[in-house]
Amino acid sequence: MTFHKLTVSLQSRSYPIYIGSGLTRTSSAVELVPIMRGQNGVVVTNKTIAPLYLEQVQKWLHDAGYTNSAIILPDGEEYKNHETLLGLYQDMFAAGLQRNSFVCALGGGVIGDLAGYAAATYMRGVDLLQIPTTILAQVDSAIGGKNGVNMEGGKNLVGTTCQPRVVISDVDFMKTLPEREILSGLGEVLKYGLLAGDDFISFLEMNKSEILARDPRSLATMIHYCSRIKADYVVRDEYDRLGVRAALNLGHTVGHALEKMYAYKQFTHGEAIAIGSAAALMFANETKLLADTALQRALQLFSDFGLPMQIPEEVDIDKMIEIMGRDKKAEDSLSMVLLHGLGDPHLEKNIDLSKLKNVLQKCKQLQL
Ligand code: NAD
Ligand code: GLY
């Protein structure tokens, strides 16, 4: 078994991320299970993932000496709410979970956020193992400890920041991931390219075909790059209070507004982030922060990976800007992460709304 390993260095809350193939399947994989306080836990997953990977993961934990049962939730963002969470606490209690037990989240970002929040709060906190099964979860949601649930008023309005004990990113899970979810994850991956700059962008440009063909080695290298980038932001600003981790929201100001305008039904998160990133690139270029060559290279990358960039014609831009102002990340005025060059993100406050409106209109016709 070969794998990449990196550490999220947060003093006593430090943890390893393993990235590779067969990480919960091969006999030596048991070595990746951390030493936990107690011997008992639960695997939290959903109805789609359970028939594919639950048995394998339960055996992996069992072979490492941990007894465990399973809690299988329904599949969908609409279940990431307080009702599901309450049911989850009850099932954890019924499974005999104590203060020294553990929760293993097996799934995409929805399961990771729900199980992560339950683990952070049940009996004031039990150990959490993250086993992300989507690209998006492997490169983003499983790393950094953010968790939570949605409310009527919006997404992720309630939650905590509580780090896992380990993240196991097995690229074999990608074999069964629907094509659209692969693309959604790639939206976030390309965002990391913009944040990190030339080295990672060159890797993506040169390995596009292999990545789209789900070649395990290329996927593992790509996820390793992204995990390192995300871990670096998390280490510098664990609780997202210094304006450093906020750079990870590149493309999210416009992307979130778009998701919300379509009631989360039209675009996957990654598609919305791709459109939002293109808009942020265009705005940075129009305001003379980002050079034409950098803009063209970045847009070409999104196009090569088949990600959308245009804001749909029917979108009311005034309404979109109004929604952006109500985003939970907006403080006194509208802020956006803008690139001053590839690999050089800045959180800009007091965005000029009339300029933004013009650029967003232009994004409806955006073509290479
Ligand atoms: P998801 O969890 O809904 O998974 C997408 C779909 O793929 C689901 O139907 C799931 O059952 C299925 N699936 C997952 N793995 C599979 C596999 N290996 N094979 C086949 N099917 C599989 O979506 P997501 O994109 O992973 O996560 C989105 C969520 O993540 C959102 O709720 C978002 O708010 C959250 N998120 C959290 C953070 C954070 O820092 N905590 C960051 C980004 C996103
Ligand atoms: N997904 C953004 C963050 O973890 O801060």
Side-chain angles (χ1 to χ4, degrees):
M1 185 182 61
T2 56
F3 55 81
H4 302 271
K5 180 186 176 188
L6 65 123
T7 303
V8 184
S9 299
L10 293 166
Q11 292 98 28
S12 62
R13 297 176 307 293
S14 298
Y15 54 96
I17 302 175
Y18 299 103
I19 303 140
S21 173
L23 301 189
T24 59
R25 201 164 25 81
T26 50
S27 54
S28 53
V30 293
E31 288 161 23
L32 307 186
V33 180
I35 295 168
M36 288 177 287
R37 289 174 289 165
Q39 295 303 304
N40 183 37
V42 289
V43 181
V44 179
T45 190
N46 74 22
K47 286 190 167 136
T48 308
I49 298 155
L52 298 169
Y53 305 114
L54 178 59
E55 194 183 329
Q56 166 185 325
V57 168
Q58 286 202 273
K59 181 174 181 313
W60 172 70
L61 288 167
H62 183 268
D63 290 350
Y66 294 100
T67 58
N68 64 93
S69 51
I71 298 174
I72 301 174
L73 302 177
D75 185 3
E77 180 76 37
E78 65 271 32
Y79 298 103
K80 198 177 116 177
N81 58 27
H82 281 100
E83 198 185 335
T84 311
L85 182 72
L86 282 181
L88 183 52
Y89 288 139
Q90 275 155 7
D91 289 348
M92 286 161 68
F93 187 69
L97 257 61
Q98 304 288 325
R99 178 83 182 84
N100 65 357
S101 303
F102 65 88
V103 168
C104 175
L106 173 67
V110 168
I111 287 293
D113 278 7
L114 262 168
Y117 189 35
T121 47
Y122 181 81
M123 295 194 180
R124 299 198 181 87
V126 297
D127 281 344
L128 171 69
L129 283 64
Q130 283 280 11
I131 308 193
T133 62
T134 62
I135 290 190
L136 185 131
Q138 294 192 352
V139 302
D140 190 0
S141 58
I143 304 169
K146 284 189 185 176
N147 57 47
V149 292
N150 305 328
M151 291 193 357
E152 287 270 304
K155 278 187 58 164
N156 302 321
L157 288 182
V158 180
T160 73
T161 303
C162 187
Q163 304 299 335
R165 293 287 316 281
V166 70
V167 179
I168 307 275
S169 290
D170 191 331
V171 292
D172 293 352
F173 295 141
M174 298 314 135
K175 288 179 189 156
T176 54
L177 195 61
E179 190 63 29
R180 196 153 178 224
E181 296 301 336
I182 294 274
L183 269 189
S184 178
L186 289 174
E188 288 284 356
V189 169
L190 300 197
K191 178 202 78 178
Y192 284 118
L194 302 181
L195 292 177
D198 185 55
D199 189 41
F200 187 35
I201 292 178
S202 298
F203 169 82
L204 292 168
E205 288 166 341
M206 285 189 291
N207 293 276
K208 182 194 71 181
S209 312
E210 290 82 355
I211 291 166
L212 289 172
R214 308 185 193 194
D215 166 56
R217 196 188 284 260
S218 307
L219 285 177
T221 309
M222 176 187 88
I223 290 159
H224 185 216
Y225 260 112
C226 296
S227 304
R228 271 202 325 243
I229 298 164
K230 170 109 195 213
D232 179 55
Y233 279 103
V234 169
V235 164
R236 287 189 286 142
D237 184 11
E238 183 180 4
Y239 296 103
D240 203 359
R241 284 180 191 145
L242 308 176
V244 174
R245 189 166 170 169
L248 294 169
N249 293 325
L250 175 64
H252 284 59
T253 311
V254 172
H256 275 164
L258 201 57
E259 284 183 289
K260 205 164 187 174
M261 289 179 94
Y262 284 93
Y264 302 96
K265 291 188 182 4
Q266 181 80 2
F267 299 103
T268 63
H269 183 64
E271 287 167 348
I273 296 320
I275 296 170
S277 298
L281 287 161
M282 290 281 285
F283 186 73
N285 179 253
E286 290 278 336
T287 51
K288 309 281 178 236
L289 294 171
L290 185 71
D292 292 349
T293 46
L295 174 72
Q296 283 309 315
R297 188 179 181 196
L299 294 181
Q300 187 67 52
L301 193 64
F302 279 85
S303 166
D304 286 351
F305 276 87
L307 281 155
M309 290 184 287
Q310 281 182 351
I311 294 178
E313 186 56 47
E314 75 263 18
V315 167
D316 178 339
I317 298 296
D318 286 322
K319 183 136 187 273
M320 188 178 216
I321 290 178
E322 191 193 317
I323 290 173
M324 286 178 200
R326 281 187 308 214
D327 189 278
K328 77 178 187 332
K329 290 185 174 94
E331 286 157 14
D332 298 331
S333 61
L334 190 61
S335 307
M336 272 176 93
V337 180
L338 297 176
L339 295 185
H340 292 198
L342 298 176
D344 188 14
H346 292 257
L347 181 63
E348 305 283 350
K349 300 199 166 160
N350 301 316
I351 293 292
D352 182 325
L353 295 184
S354 66
K355 276 190 193 155
L356 180 62
K357 185 174 168 179
N358 284 337
V359 170
L360 294 180
Q361 281 295 356
K362 274 193 188 173
C363 286
K364 292 182 175 182
Q365 270 81 47
L366 181 56
Q367 268 176 346
L368 283 180

